[in-house]
Amino acid sequence: AIREAESGETALAVLGSGAGVDMLVTDIRLGGAVDGWKVAAAFREVHATLPVVYVTGNPMLESCRVAGSVYLTKPCDISKLLEICNALLARS
């Protein structure tokens, strides 16, 4: 199932709810005070080996990326995103 969050705070609530999550796809700029960097870091703390994909128009900051993540710049071809997500899920 896909779970959507309209803000970083909502994303953290979804992650903390115990809902089954197999991968995180996030933008960097999210509504609210919590950005995608923080959401990915919180996700990685709980799910050390699950995939994280950033899809954003923001510059990549290596120091903020979680280990093993994939970074795609906008505009991103949806078929490429799906291909990457499927490949990452197959490996995890």
Side-chain angles (χ1 to χ4, degrees), residues 3 5-6 11 13 15-16 19 24 44 46 51 58 67 69 83-84 87-88 90:
R3 290 167 176 77
E6 70 277 354
L15 294 175
L24 174 70
R44 182 58 81 217
V46 177
N58 289 324
S69 62
E83 180 182 318
I84 288 170
L88 290 171

Side-chain angles (χ1 to χ4, degrees), residues 23-27 40 44 51-55 66 68-72 81 84-85 88:
M23 123 182 287
L24 174 70
V25 177
T26 187
D27 198 335
R44 182 58 81 217
V52 172
V53 178
Y54 300 98
V55 181
V66 296
S69 62
V70 175
Y71 190 92
L72 300 173
L81 173 60
I84 288 170
C85 288
L88 290 171

Side-chain angles (χ1 to χ4, degrees), residues 48-65:
T49 61
L50 294 182
V52 172
V53 178
Y54 300 98
V55 181
T56 185
N58 289 324
M60 181 175 52
L61 300 173
E62 284 293 333
S63 62
C64 293
R65 284 179 65 180

Side-chain angles (χ1 to χ4, degrees), residues 9 12 19 28 32 36 41 59 71 74 76 78 83 92:
E9 290 81 2
L12 291 178
I28 302 306
Y71 190 92
K74 289 182 184 176
C76 175
I78 192 70
E83 180 182 318
S92 65

